């Protein structure tokens, strides 16, 4: 298992051409990559390295030198990054080879990848359905077996939700555990570079490579960090997964029958494995989405102010004055959802409104952290669904952009609290994957991997869509 | 006529003398080709993050401490949001909610009097790039974008343009003493905007205007006084003062309203999420304190009180820290303070000007100067020869006693030798001798001069006079 | 949020909205703000705002130049240039 079978696939001529064929067949159906280069040098002695010669995908809001970095937006369609993200550099140093850039919702804003201005991405399980988002391209590529892992970014669930929709593992690390240098900012205080992978072991190995403090990101932390007092001592060896105390949330509303059944059966699974199940309540969860979107849009309004067509990216050359040029380039360059979030974020920061919205959201954020502290004082882990429904069809009218935001209820809390969460696939229902997530106190990633691994064993590996072949 | 009171506050920006910019590793250097000292971070590229420079923090805390501010236990940055082509992210990383220092005060001297100005806050931020307007195009250069800028905001505690001028001159000396800024107003490394309001006496602050584009301390004085006059005239005419930003027009010597686009202004400050708050440790504060120095205004007053040095001399001695330090170590090395002051302000300056070098670059040390001063005091050489000795010390990088010995300039203080010289001169000038004997003392100076000439300037002039007087019984 | 507030907000955000977009965004923004207003139900008394999660350590960079020599490459991305200057229409 894990990434070892992938080593050398770019070097061995026969394997390479088979890989290329397989890749392109799938890609024609699902459109997970905005750009890819499978024919490239694999450093000759990379086999000795932990991820030597292993191909991987990178969400197109993470910089890879020499590749475009479009963020799924017209405003950066022709922009090529002059540098690489720290996470990418660390993976390259470990021998891994970035083979392409994965599609996403524009600037990471969305839950379907349909907000990409550049390409449509489909779910490998059913191409009439979305791959989830915003890291939909990364999830689809891993699910179809095009790469063993891909980097994504998780601002409010953007790694975990597409992982759940496509049936792969999705790790949202502790805030600051992975350098954000090179991740195009959407909501800086919430987001983190994450991993979509086909096995727990792959996710763990990739995380081990990319984690740790970076001098280019002063919000990055030593791993494990100083926050040992918050929620026990996660830096210590993980408790035996089979005897872990797992908190579960009672009375969750709005779940589809498939997701609700899967949540119950997952609880039963861990109980049967010997874990102690602790029902808990998370009262602040009801306000998490409002607080999340307030903070996320506020930060986005500043983070996206740099796109003006002055120094790089799309410029409307028809404009006569500087102001006109900037307004017009932004108006034509951004999609509707991005404009909506910029407007919301600008508004909640305006004087006269800031206390009521942004200020209050920051305090609710504290309440949510306190809630998690309380849960993790008594439990090792928390088990929750990822999203209330399975992958939905493109253009599903019952789930408009607003409804999709409300559905982020189970994912955003981890971002507000900065804690790690791991989305894992379970047995498909009605021909579609269902994802559950394990959350833990800060720096408890190893605990999450261990607990997900017992479940992985029982499942015998992730479910795969029809047409999947192992490389 | 009604009596008015004026209130002037300053917003001062100083460029810190760091090697690199405040949030990235680009060179902090001006005058290079446009857009050479730039990187993805200071150009605001997608995906980059700021990383604060420790030296910029240290310098900022030094200034805040020197200005007697309360230091924030937790200082952090905020984003100040507005669109401006010179600013690459369209937000400026600055400090608003929790700046480095607050509630400070500083004394400055004007006309020999100490006055106090309260400091509202001291905060660290990034500078913007520069644009040049050429017809229908604007050319942008970001070499300055992201360089460290420290802003000091005073309370409106000054009254006149003269106050403001004295304050900014005192402040300029202060930052130069601390070594955190070169204080060059013409080149913009020290910039100053003035806030000014007037009101009937006793009525508190009035409606203020802000005056920008003031690039010397003299223009600050002129612009503030001009603005006081303008506002006074407006109030006398019953007009209301409009709160606005005005520009100093150097050519016309007046302030003019700045033309601005009518647009919404709302900076929407919020905490910068990309960098953690900074909590200065006791060790950090101790390091800051260790780098503080006696401020120039106090040094000047101490020299006046302790040594009795005054006027231009004390001004010159305390203008630049290296000069003041040189003076003090000369005194510590045993020189008479008044002598040391005189030498530094005149002879040394003359020589340095001739050589076109600064004091620090010269071979002159305070030990050598003290030695020279003491050679005069002990009568080994006279003042004239000492001046020549100084020139040679600077040219040849030698100790004064070595030069005096090499040149054979030791003063003749042996009374026997002087008596022989005096006898020779008296014999050669019988007319002058007769005059003195007849009670006319006028030729005394002439005779002394003749003896000095005969001794090639090495005779001790006081001794010469005494011997002549003795011989002529006058 | 009424059209007036939306117009001010759009101006601060440097976005041009035509009449159609004004209507669409007005509805969408208002709906979302109403949802945000749920936060008013939370008792936040005594809660400190979380401005920086998990950043307990001072971080500062050594004052040392980092030469990436990227400036030529960065200028290539500029839509319009004159020599080493980046060009935009005159501000006036």
């Amino acid at each position: 298992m894990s990434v070892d079978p992938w080593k050398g696939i770019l070097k061995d001529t026969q394997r390479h051409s088979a890989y290329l064929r397989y890749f392109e067949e799938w890609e024609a159906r699902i459109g997970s990559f905005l750009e890819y280069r499978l024919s490239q040098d694999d450093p000759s002695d990379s086999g000795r390295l932990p991820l030597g010669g292993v191909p991987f995908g990178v969400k197109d809001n993470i910089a890879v030198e020499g590749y475009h970095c479009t963020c799924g937006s017209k405003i950066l369609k022709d922009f090529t990054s002059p540098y690489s993200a720290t996470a990418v550099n660390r993976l390259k140093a470990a021998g891994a080879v970035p083979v392409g850039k994965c599609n996403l919702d524009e600037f990471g804003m969305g839950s379907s990848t349909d907000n990409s201005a550049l390409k449509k991405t489909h779910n490998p399980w059913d191409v009439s359905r979305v791959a989830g988002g915003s890291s939909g391209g990364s999830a689809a590529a891993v699910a179809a077996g095009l790469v063993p892992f891909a980097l994504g970014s998780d601002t409010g669930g953007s790694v975990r939700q597409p992982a759940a929709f496509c049936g792969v593992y999705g790790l949202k690390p502790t805030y600051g555990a992975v350098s954000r240098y090179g991740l195009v900012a959407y909501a800086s205080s919430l987001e983190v570079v994450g991993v979509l992978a086909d096995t727990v072991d792959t996710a763990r190995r990739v995380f081990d490579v990319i984690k740790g403090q970076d001098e280019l990101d002063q919000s990055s932390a030593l791993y494990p960090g100083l926050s040992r007092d918050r929620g026990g001592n996660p830096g210590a060896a993980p408790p035996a997964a089979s005897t872990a105390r797992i908190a579960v949330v009672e009375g969750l509303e709005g779940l589809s029958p498939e997701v609700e059944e899967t949540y119950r059966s997952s609880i039963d699974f861990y109980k049967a494995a010997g874990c102690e199940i602790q029902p808990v309540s998370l009262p602040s969860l009801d306000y998490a989405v409002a607080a999340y979107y307030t903070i996320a849009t506020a930060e986005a309004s500043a983070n996206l102010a740099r796109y003006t067509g002055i120094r790089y990216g799309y410029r409307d050359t028809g404009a006569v004055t500087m102001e006109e040029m900037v307004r017009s380039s932004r108006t034509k360059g951004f999609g509707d959802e991005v404009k909506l979030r910029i407007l919301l974020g600008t508004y909640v920061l305006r004087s006269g409104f800031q206390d009521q919205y942004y200020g209050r959201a920051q305090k609710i954020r504290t309440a949510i952290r306190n809630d998690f502290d309380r849960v993790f004082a008594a439990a090792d882990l928390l088990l929750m669904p990822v999203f209330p429904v399975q992958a939905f069809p493109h253009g599903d009218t019952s789930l408009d952009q607003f409804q999709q935001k409300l559905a982020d209820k189970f994912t955003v809390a981890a971002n507000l609290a900065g804690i790690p969460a791991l989305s894992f696939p379970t047995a498909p229902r009605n021909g579609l994957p269902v994802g559950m997530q394990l959350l833990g106190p800060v720096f408890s990633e190893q605990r999450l991997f261990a607990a997900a691994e017992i479940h992985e064993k029982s499942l015998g590996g992730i479910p795969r869509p029809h047409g999947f072949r192992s490389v | 006529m009604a009596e008015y009171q004026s209130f002037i506050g300053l917003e001062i920006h100083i460029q810190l003398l760091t090697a690199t910019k405040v949030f990235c590793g680009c060179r902090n250097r001006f005058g290079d080709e446009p857009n050479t000292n730039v990187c993805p971070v200071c150009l605001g590229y997608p995906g980059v993050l700021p990383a604060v420079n420790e030296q910029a923090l240290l310098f900022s805390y030094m200034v805040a401490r020197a200005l007697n501010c309360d230091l924030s236990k937790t200082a952090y940055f905020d984003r100040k949001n507005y669109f401006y082509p010179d600013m690459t992210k369209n937000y400026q990383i600055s400090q608003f909610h929790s700046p480095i220092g607050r509630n400070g005060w500083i004394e400055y001297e004007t006309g020999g009097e100490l006055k106090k100005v309260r400091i509202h806050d001291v905060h660290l931020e990034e500078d913007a790039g520069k644009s040049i307007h050429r017809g229908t195009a604007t050319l942008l250069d970001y070499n300055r974008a992201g360089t460290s800028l420290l802003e000091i905001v005073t309370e409106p505690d000054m009254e006149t343009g003269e106050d403001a001028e004295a304050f900014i001159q005192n402040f300029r000396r202060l930052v130069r003493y601390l070594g955190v800024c070169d204080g060059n107003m013409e080149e913009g490394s020290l910039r100053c905007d003035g806030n000014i309001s007037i009101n009937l006496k006793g009525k508190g602050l009035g409606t203020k205007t802000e005056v920008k584009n003031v690039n010397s301390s003299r223009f600050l004085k002129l612009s503030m006084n001009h603005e006081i006059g303008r506002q006074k005239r407006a109030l006398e005419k019953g007009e209301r003062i409009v709160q606005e930003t005005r520009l100093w027009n150097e050519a016309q010597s007046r302030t003019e309203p700045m033309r601005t686009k009518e647009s919404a202004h709302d900076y929407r400050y919020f905490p910068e999420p990309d960098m953690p708050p900074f909590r200065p440790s006791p060790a950090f504060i101790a390091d800051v304190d260790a780098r503080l120095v006696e401020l120039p205004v106090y040094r000047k007053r101490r020299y006046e009180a302790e040594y009795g040095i005054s006027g231009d001399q004390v001004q010159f001695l305390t203008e630049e820290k290296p000069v003041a330090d040189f003076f003090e170590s000369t005194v510590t090395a045993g020189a008479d303070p008044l002598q040391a002051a005189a030498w530094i302000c005149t002879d040394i300056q003359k020589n340095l000007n001739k050589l076109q070098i600064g004091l620090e670059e010269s071979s002159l040390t305070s030990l050598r100067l003290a030695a020279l001063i003491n050679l005069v005091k002990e009568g080994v050489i006279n003042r004239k020869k000492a001046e020549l000795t100084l020139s040679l010390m600077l040219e040849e990088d030698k100790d004064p006693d070595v030069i005096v010995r090499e040149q054979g300039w030791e003063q003749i203080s042996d009374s026997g030798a002087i008596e022989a010289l005096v006898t020779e001169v008296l014999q050669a000038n019988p007319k002058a001798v007769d005059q003195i004997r007849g009670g006319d003392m006028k030729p005394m100076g002439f005779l002394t001069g003749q003896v000095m000439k005969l001794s090639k300037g090495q005779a001790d002039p006081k001794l010469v006079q005494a011997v002549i007087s003795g011989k002529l019984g006058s | 949020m009424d059209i007036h507030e939306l117009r001010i907000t759009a101006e601060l955000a440097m976005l041009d909205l035509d009449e159609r977009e004004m209507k669409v965004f007005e509805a969408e923004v208002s709906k979302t703000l109403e949802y945000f207003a749920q936060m008013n139900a939370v008792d936040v008394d005594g809660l400190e705002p979380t401005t920086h999660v998990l950043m307990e350590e001072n971080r500062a960079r050594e004052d040392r130049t980092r030469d990436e020599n990227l400036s030529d490459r960065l200028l290539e991305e500029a839509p319009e240039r004159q020599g080493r200057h980046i060009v935009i229409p005159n501000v006036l």
Side-chain angles (χ1 to χ4, degrees):
Chain A
M1 289 302 282
S2 189
V3 294
D4 292 328
W6 289 86
K7 289 189 169 182
I9 194 160
L10 299 170
K11 238 186 340 196
D12 181 313
T13 323
Q14 259 188 336
R15 287 180 69 203
H16 179 261
S17 58
Y19 175 42
L20 188 60
R21 239 182 355 263
Y22 178 76
F23 191 105
E24 289 186 334
E25 269 167 33
W26 262 112
E27 196 43 29
R29 288 171 56 205
I30 60 173
S32 60
F33 282 87
L34 287 164
E35 183 183 15
Y36 60 85
R37 288 176 217 155
L38 295 188
S39 303
Q40 57 173 298
D41 277 352
D42 160 13
S44 57
D45 61 346
S46 65
R48 292 183 299 113
L49 296 167
L51 297 172
V54 176
F56 69 102
V58 181
K59 187 179 183 180
D60 205 24
N61 63 348
I62 298 172
V64 183
E65 190 187 337
Y67 277 101
H68 285 87
C69 191
T70 69
C71 298
S73 181
K74 239 184 95 178
I75 213 160
L76 287 175
K77 188 166 77 73
D78 299 315
F79 173 75
T80 305
S81 183
Y83 74 99
S84 290
T86 297
V88 170
N89 279 333
R90 288 184 177 177
L91 285 168
K92 279 169 136 177
V97 184
V99 292
K101 302 300 294 286
C102 300
N103 200 14
L104 70 161
D105 287 302
E106 187 175 358
F107 285 103
M109 298 179 180
S111 311
S112 64
T113 307
D114 284 353
N115 287 345
S116 170
L118 305 179
K119 194 167 194 169
K120 205 83 171 167
T121 296
H122 308 294
N123 193 311
W125 290 78
D126 175 353
V127 292
S128 73
R129 289 173 187 272
V130 303
S134 63
S135 311
S138 299
V142 174
L146 309 187
V147 283
F149 73 91
L151 293 181
S153 64
D154 195 311
T155 311
S158 282
V159 161
R160 288 162 287 158
Q161 189 258 25
F165 276 21
C166 294
V168 300
Y169 291 93
L171 172 69
K172 177 246 173 256
T174 304
Y175 183 80
V178 180
S179 168
R180 285 185 296 121
Y181 192 79
L183 165 63
V184 179
Y186 154 28
S188 318
S189 78
L190 298 162
E191 64 206 3
V192 60
V193 171
V195 186
L196 297 107
D198 61 3
T199 65
V200 173
D201 186 54
T202 304
R204 180 194 284 126
R205 283 164 73 168
V206 171
F207 177 67
D208 281 346
V209 169
I210 63 177
K211 74 180 193 311
Q213 203 164 57
D214 176 15
E215 61 166 11
L216 299 176
D217 176 4
Q218 295 186 339
S219 70
S220 65
L222 287 168
Y223 196 91
L226 297 174
S227 300
R228 294 188 182 88
D229 55 323
R230 287 189 90 90
N233 183 7
S242 56
T243 58
R245 299 163 300 168
I246 299 183
V248 299
V249 187
E250 288 188 313
L252 291 180
E253 283 168 19
L255 301 181
S256 74
E258 293 82 5
V259 173
E260 186 156 9
E261 281 162 30
T262 304
Y263 189 36
R264 278 214 210 96
S265 62
S266 304
I267 296 170
D268 291 343
F269 169 82
Y270 279 107
K271 198 176 200 169
C275 296
E276 180 195 322
I277 303 298
Q278 295 180 354
V280 296
S281 68
L282 280 172
S284 58
L285 214 55
D286 290 339
Y287 308 100
V289 170
Y292 167 79
Y293 275 99
T294 301
I295 294 166
T297 57
E299 292 179 4
S301 73
N303 283 329
L304 273 64
R306 68 189 62 195
Y307 306 106
T308 54
I310 292 178
R311 290 158 290 270
Y312 50 77
Y314 171 74
R315 174 186 289 198
D316 181 1
T317 49
V320 179
T321 70
M322 182 280 293
E323 287 241 339
E324 231 175 78
M325 185 203 88
V326 170
R327 284 170 194 282
S328 170
S329 301
R330 289 170 63 78
T331 305
K332 292 180 181 169
F334 289 138
D336 279 353
E337 182 62 24
V338 172
K339 281 189 249 187
L340 172 67
R341 294 195 194 190
I342 291 174
L343 289 169
L344 278 169
T346 304
Y347 185 79
V348 300
L349 285 175
R350 277 177 55 188
S351 71
F353 308 110
Q354 186 171 129
D355 287 350
Q356 175 187 352
Y357 291 107
Y358 180 77
R360 192 162 264 270
Q362 296 284 57
K363 289 181 180 171
I364 292 177
R365 190 171 184 180
T366 306
I368 288 167
R369 293 169 67 199
N370 292 344
D371 259 7
F372 278 118
D373 283 351
R374 185 173 47 74
V375 168
F376 293 125
D380 301 307
L381 296 164
L382 172 65
L383 179 68
M384 275 206 294
V386 174
F387 205 70
V389 296
Q390 293 169 283
F392 50 84
H394 288 294
D396 186 347
T397 46
S398 70
L399 212 59
D400 65 13
Q401 297 274 355
F402 183 71
Q403 294 299 326
Q404 285 176 35
K405 289 186 180 90
L406 302 191
D408 290 337
K409 182 171 177 176
F410 306 125
T411 47
V412 296
N415 301 83
L416 287 165
I419 60 174
L422 177 65
S423 163
F424 62 94
T426 58
R429 289 183 192 258
N430 298 336
L432 291 173
V434 192
M436 291 290 128
Q437 61 175 335
L438 287 159
L439 297 85
V442 295
F443 303 114
S444 68
E445 279 83 354
Q446 296 308 328
R447 219 185 265 180
L448 303 181
F449 292 138
E453 221 155 29
I454 358 177
H455 184 270
E456 182 182 38
K457 272 191 199 118
S458 78
L459 206 62
I462 60 169
R464 289 290 194 174
H466 180 71
F468 167 81
R469 279 201 323 271
S470 173
V471 298
Chain B
M1 196 144 97
E3 209 182 334
Y4 290 99
Q5 201 172 0
S6 49
F7 304 90
I8 298 173
L10 301 177
E11 280 173 28
I12 305 163
H13 286 92
I14 57 171
Q15 286 176 339
L16 298 177
L17 289 170
T18 51
T20 64
K21 294 184 177 185
V22 61
F23 299 124
C24 66
C26 283
R27 268 194 188 78
N28 176 28
R29 192 170 68 192
F30 306 119
D32 289 336
E33 287 283 291
N35 295 311
T36 43
N37 299 323
V38 293
C39 74
V41 176
C42 55
L43 277 187
Y45 261 57
V48 298
L49 296 169
V52 69
N53 181 335
E54 64 182 5
Q55 192 72 15
L57 281 175
L58 184 71
F59 283 172
S60 303
Y61 275 92
M62 283 166 64
V63 173
R65 198 73 159 164
L67 298 179
N68 304 295
C69 287
D70 297 336
L71 303 182
S72 294
K73 287 203 172 62
T74 302
Y76 59 83
F77 291 102
D78 294 285
R79 293 185 182 178
K80 180 181 183 181
N81 297 284
Y82 61 103
F83 280 85
Y84 193 55
D86 289 346
M87 199 170 62
T88 59
K89 301 181 296 296
N90 292 310
Y91 59 79
Q92 181 192 30
I93 302 178
S94 181
Q95 295 186 306
F96 180 71
H97 292 106
S98 192
I100 284 172
R102 271 197 178 116
N103 301 325
W105 57 267
I106 186 74
E107 286 179 313
Y108 72 104
E109 193 183 51
T110 174
E113 190 189 339
L114 276 186
K115 289 187 178 176
K116 198 174 197 172
V117 166
R118 290 167 301 149
I119 304 296
H120 181 273
D121 76 88
V122 173
H123 63 264
L124 180 60
E125 59 189 24
E126 57 183 333
D127 208 344
K130 279 182 171 169
S131 44
I132 311 166
H133 305 296
R134 289 266 167 79
T136 57
T138 296
L139 310 182
L140 299 165
D141 172 14
Y142 294 105
N143 280 346
R144 198 182 68 179
T147 56
S148 40
L149 207 54
L150 190 69
E151 180 169 348
I152 296 95
V153 182
T154 79
E155 298 288 356
D157 292 348
M158 288 156 271
E159 272 187 77
T160 63
E162 285 73 13
D163 281 352
E165 181 186 39
F167 178 85
I168 203 70
Q169 286 169 344
N170 275 257
F171 183 80
R172 180 179 176 277
R173 270 193 288 276
L174 180 148
V175 295
R176 285 175 63 85
Y177 261 60
L178 291 175
V180 300
C181 174
D182 68 19
N184 191 326
M185 286 189 84
E186 285 73 29
E187 285 175 17
S189 46
L190 190 164
R191 289 169 240 163
C192 178
D193 301 331
N195 289 306
I196 177 154
S197 74
I198 70 168
N199 210 346
L200 289 172
K201 201 157 188 159
K203 295 275 185 186
L205 299 173
T207 305
K208 70 176 177 183
T209 59
E210 187 183 2
V211 181
K212 286 181 182 286
N213 198 34
V214 183
N215 59 9
S216 77
S217 55
R218 196 172 73 89
F219 291 149
L220 178 64
K221 174 181 73 181
L222 295 176
S223 65
M224 292 297 104
N225 283 342
H226 174 274
E227 196 53 21
I228 291 172
R230 188 190 69 83
Q231 291 188 13
K232 238 184 231 176
R233 282 191 300 278
L235 290 184
E236 311 249 274
K237 275 190 275 179
E239 293 169 8
R240 276 184 54 212
I241 305 295
V242 185
Q243 181 162 351
E244 63 182 351
T245 301
R246 301 175 68 87
L247 291 181
W248 171 246
N249 182 326
E250 195 180 312
Q252 312 261 349
S253 281
R254 65 172 190 217
T255 67
E256 293 167 347
M258 191 165 93
R259 273 180 300 168
T260 49
K261 193 178 62 73
E262 199 53 49
S263 72
H265 252 303
D266 186 342
Y267 292 132
R268 290 161 284 139
Y269 286 100
F270 73 95
E272 167 59 85
D274 287 335
M275 288 176 285
F278 186 77
R279 302 175 181 91
S281 64
F284 178 86
I285 297 298
D287 185 25
V288 168
D289 286 348
R291 289 162 196 266
L292 294 182
V293 296
E294 183 185 22
L295 298 182
V297 62
Y298 301 118
R299 211 154 176 179
K300 175 169 174 282
R301 295 177 78 82
R302 181 163 64 80
Y303 289 2
E304 288 166 344
E306 220 168 275
Y307 305 127
I309 305 168
S310 60
D312 289 347
Q313 272 197 354
V314 74
Q315 197 67 48
F316 180 84
L317 283 182
T318 54
E319 183 64 32
E320 302 288 343
K321 184 165 178 291
V323 176
D325 288 346
F326 186 88
F327 165 74
E328 286 196 33
S329 52
T330 305
V331 172
T332 307
D336 172 66
L338 290 174
Q339 283 298 321
W343 277 97
I344 292 169
C345 295
T346 54
D347 302 281
I348 291 175
Q349 219 34 48
K350 236 182 284 167
N351 276 283
L352 293 175
N353 286 346
K354 206 167 71 194
L355 297 169
Q356 293 193 314
I357 54 170
L359 183 58
E360 302 107 291
E361 304 153 72
S362 79
S363 60
L364 187 65
T365 62
S366 51
L367 284 176
R368 281 179 175 174
L369 176 61
L372 179 69
I373 289 169
N374 285 327
L375 286 180
V376 178
K377 189 181 166 197
E378 287 155 15
V380 178
I381 49 174
N382 61 39
R383 188 65 164 77
K384 271 275 169 311
K385 277 283 182 282
E387 284 164 29
L388 296 173
T389 306
L390 175 69
S391 297
L392 287 178
M393 283 161 67
L394 282 159
E395 278 162 34
E396 298 178 5
D397 187 8
K398 284 178 183 161
D399 288 343
D401 56 327
V402 173
I403 289 166
V404 168
R405 203 166 49 243
E406 282 174 0
Q407 302 290 335
W409 283 342
E410 290 93 342
Q411 184 161 265
I412 302 166
S413 318
D414 168 30
S415 53
I418 287 181
E419 234 164 277
L421 291 168
V422 168
T423 307
E424 197 181 330
V425 167
L426 294 186
Q427 277 171 0
N429 296 285
K431 237 173 102 183
V433 171
D434 288 348
Q435 253 177 285
I436 292 169
R437 289 219 164 109
D440 179 0
M441 298 306 289
K442 250 185 261 158
M444 255 326 258
F446 168 75
L447 289 177
T448 308
Q450 289 302 302
V451 177
M452 289 305 290
K453 199 170 156 195
L454 196 62
S455 74
K456 299 197 183 83
Q458 279 166 266
D460 178 347
K462 275 186 213 135
L463 203 54
V464 171
Q465 277 192 353
V467 172
I468 293 174
S469 299
K471 285 207 176 253
L472 300 183
S474 56
Chain C
M1 168 150 78
D2 61 27
I3 288 281
H4 174 68
E5 292 295 348
L6 182 61
R7 203 161 270 143
I8 295 173
T9 307
E11 188 176 332
L12 287 168
M14 291 291 261
L15 291 171
D16 283 331
L17 304 182
D18 59 30
E19 286 313 305
R20 181 198 65 84
E21 285 177 311
M22 277 287 182
K23 285 216 176 71
V24 173
F25 283 123
E26 188 199 0
E28 200 67 23
V29 169
S30 299
K31 183 164 68 172
T32 313
L33 288 176
E34 251 167 61
Y35 179 72
F36 287 177
Q38 284 191 357
M39 294 190 293
N40 292 329
V42 185
D43 178 11
V44 294
D45 279 357
L47 287 176
E48 283 294 312
T50 293
T51 55
H52 298 82
V53 71
L54 293 176
M55 290 196 226
E56 282 143 35
E57 223 191 321
N58 284 346
R59 291 291 299 275
R61 166 181 71 78
E62 209 183 309
D63 186 20
R64 204 183 46 211
T65 51
R66 181 171 186 265
D67 276 319
E68 294 170 292
N69 291 318
L70 276 177
S71 66
D72 291 349
R73 168 70 190 88
L74 296 170
L75 285 179
E76 281 170 25
E77 292 292 330
E80 197 188 338
R81 276 194 291 158
Q82 247 180 56
R84 294 195 64 87
H85 278 110
I86 294 172
V87 179
I88 53 169
N90 199 340
V91 182
L92 291 177

